[in-house]
Amino acid sequence: MTTVAGTGGAGAAGGPAGPSGPWLVVGLGNPGPGYAGNRHNVGFVVTDLLASRIGGKFKAHKSRARVLEGRFGAPGSASGCRVVLAQPMSYMNLSGGPVTALRDFYKVPVERIVVVHDELDIDFGVLRLKKGGGDNGHNGLKSLTKSLGPGYFRVRFGVGRPPGRMPVADYVLKDFSAVERKELDYFTDRAADAVESLVLDGLERAQTTYNS
C-alpha cells in the first residue's frame, strides 16, 4: 500500500475512509534499545514499518510519545486519509497517559484510534482485528482502556504462549526466537498492511482479508 508523509479515514463504526480528521495509530512497546527486539515491542516494530512507508521520521512530542504525521493512500487520492503514528515513551503499563494526551491534542475520537499490540492467546504471526473488548491481562491495554474506555480498534499480533512454566512477563520481555525472526519481517509487513486496510477500507473488509 502507498503512504505519504505530511500533516484525512473509516467512519466511527469502522466503515470506509471518510474526510473528517486524522486517525491515531498507536504501536505499544517499551522505550529503549534493551527492549527493541522483545515480543512485547511488536507494536513499535509495525509502526516503525509504517513510518518507513510514509517516508518520515518520528519526532518527540510533548505528550511523552514519538509521533509522525502523514497519510495512508495514494498521493492525491480522494480515498486517502490523514494519520498520526505514535509510540508512547512511557513504559507499557503507563501507555494510557501519552495516548490520552495525543487524543486531546489532535482531537481524535476513540473510534479513530488503532492500537497495535502483542497477543499471547494467538499463535505467532497470526493477526486478529477487532473493535473493543477486554485487556486479557495486557498491561498496555489495561492502561489504555482505563484512560480511553474500550472502544478503540486493535490489531492483535500473535506471539503465542510461553513454553512450559515460563512466566508470561519473562516471555514477552524476551526477543523473538531465531526461528521466529526468520518469518518476522513477513508477518510485521502483513500487520502494517492490515493497519492501512482497517483505516482505509473499514474493519469488516480488513477482517475478511487479514484475520487468518
Side-chain angles (χ1 to χ4, degrees), residues 6-204:
T7 56
S20 57
W23 280 73
L24 178 59
V25 177
V26 180
L28 293 185
N30 286 307
Y35 296 101
N38 291 178
R39 294 179 176 91
H40 223 19
N41 272 48
V42 73
F44 277 17
V45 176
V46 174
T47 46
D48 280 340
L49 178 55
L50 288 166
S52 71
R53 292 181 180 186
I54 286 174
K57 293 183 178 181
F58 283 103
K59 295 181 180 179
H61 190 273
K62 63 182 180 180
S63 61
R64 292 182 299 133
R66 300 197 312 153
V67 302
L68 172 61
E69 299 179 34
R71 292 183 67 86
F72 287 169
S77 170
S79 63
C81 67
R82 292 171 56 209
V83 295
V84 179
L85 303 180
Q87 297 176 339
M89 290 290 102
S90 60
Y91 285 94
M92 178 73 81
N93 62 346
L94 300 174
S95 299
V99 176
T100 299
L102 288 170
R103 176 201 66 185
D104 295 343
F105 182 84
Y106 287 103
K107 297 179 173 56
V108 181
V110 69
E111 297 85 2
R112 296 175 79 88
I113 297 175
V114 180
V115 177
V116 187
H117 64 90
D118 58 304
E119 178 60 60
L120 286 164
D121 287 339
I122 302 174
D123 291 340
F124 170 69
V126 174
L127 299 177
R128 291 286 187 272
L129 282 65
K130 63 183 286 189
K131 181 182 180 184
D135 58 59
N136 198 26
H138 192 292
N139 288 331
L141 297 182
K142 191 176 297 183
S143 177
L144 286 174
T145 299
K146 183 178 179 180
S147 298
L148 303 172
Y152 50 90
F153 292 97
R154 299 110 185 271
V155 175
R156 305 154 69 206
F157 186 103
V159 297
R161 301 293 304 185
R165 297 186 177 182
M166 181 185 292
V168 166
D170 292 348
Y171 178 71
V172 297
L173 293 176
K174 287 184 179 295
D175 289 358
F176 287 100
S177 69
V179 172
E180 290 169 336
R181 287 196 296 272
K182 291 179 181 179
E183 297 183 295
L184 187 60
D185 285 349
Y186 168 78
F187 287 129
T188 53
D189 190 69
R190 191 166 183 269
D193 287 346
V195 172
E196 292 193 51
S197 178
L198 171 57
V199 170
L200 292 170
D201 304 324
L203 178 62
E204 184 175 349

